[in-house]
């Protein structure tokens, strides 16, 4: 598969994952398979996955401050939305768990870049 096709597929998966995360963050429904874990662990895992997808979706640069801050902004935005939903509540600890997931992905990004599916950023 060509790198452009992989990038496009990863971007679609990234958007779908964002939609699922946003749904889970704003719904009053419970999902048995997802609610098994501690809430903060769910945040860490979700943002590790989002970090990997964001990193692969935009392969032109390394996984650095721009990507990290954009993802953290997403986590903060979700908490702001939750603040206005009567059956949800915003939590600074959730943002901290999101940041932990983003930070935990960073060392894995170095390993993933060794894969042929994960192109190295352009030097320039």
């Amino acid at each position: 598969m060509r790198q452009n096709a992989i990038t496009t597929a990863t971007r679609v998966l990234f958007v779908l994952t964002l939609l699922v995360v946003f749904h889970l963050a704003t719904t009053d429904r419970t999902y048995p398979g997802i609610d098994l874990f501690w809430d903060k662990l769910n945040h860490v895992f979700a943002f590790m996955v989002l970090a990997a997808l964001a990193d692969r979706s935009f392969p032109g640069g390394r996984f650095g401050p721009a990507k990290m801050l954009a993802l953290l902004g997403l986590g903060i935005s979700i908490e702001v939305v939750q603040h206005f939903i009567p059956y949800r509540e915003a939590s600074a600890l959730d943002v901290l768990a999101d940041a932990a997931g983003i930070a935990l992905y960073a060392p894995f990004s170095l390993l993933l870049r060794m894969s042929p599916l994960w192109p190295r950023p352009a030097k320039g």
Side-chain angles (χ1 to χ4, degrees):
M1 192 180 287
R2 293 185 20 229
Q3 290 298 334
N4 288 342
I6 294 170
T7 298
T8 300
T10 308
R11 286 179 180 171
V12 169
L13 189 56
F14 178 64
V15 170
L16 291 174
T17 304
L18 282 173
L19 292 172
V20 168
V21 167
F22 190 77
H23 169 73
L24 292 172
T26 58
T27 188
D28 60 347
R29 293 185 61 189
T30 57
Y31 296 95
I34 295 172
D35 291 335
L36 291 176
F37 301 110
W38 180 47
D39 177 60
K40 303 308 177 247
L41 188 58
N42 288 338
H43 280 263
V44 170
F45 179 72
F47 274 80
M48 281 182 74
V49 170
L50 286 169
L53 291 171
D55 191 22
R56 181 57 185 87
S57 292
F58 302 97
R62 65 185 181 85
F63 188 72
K67 290 178 184 177
M68 290 179 184
L69 289 173
L71 287 165
L72 189 57
L74 171 68
I76 292 168
S77 298
I78 289 171
E79 295 305 314
V80 169
V81 168
Q82 285 183 335
H83 174 75
F84 295 102
I85 299 174
Y87 51 85
R88 297 298 238 170
E89 67 179 48
S91 168
L93 289 177
D94 286 351
V95 174
L96 189 59
D98 299 344
I102 295 165
L104 286 171
Y105 167 72
F108 289 112
S109 71
L110 301 173
L111 294 173
L112 289 172
R113 291 208 183 269
M114 294 179 198
S115 163
L117 297 176
W118 222 270
R120 289 179 174 71
K123 293 184 180 181

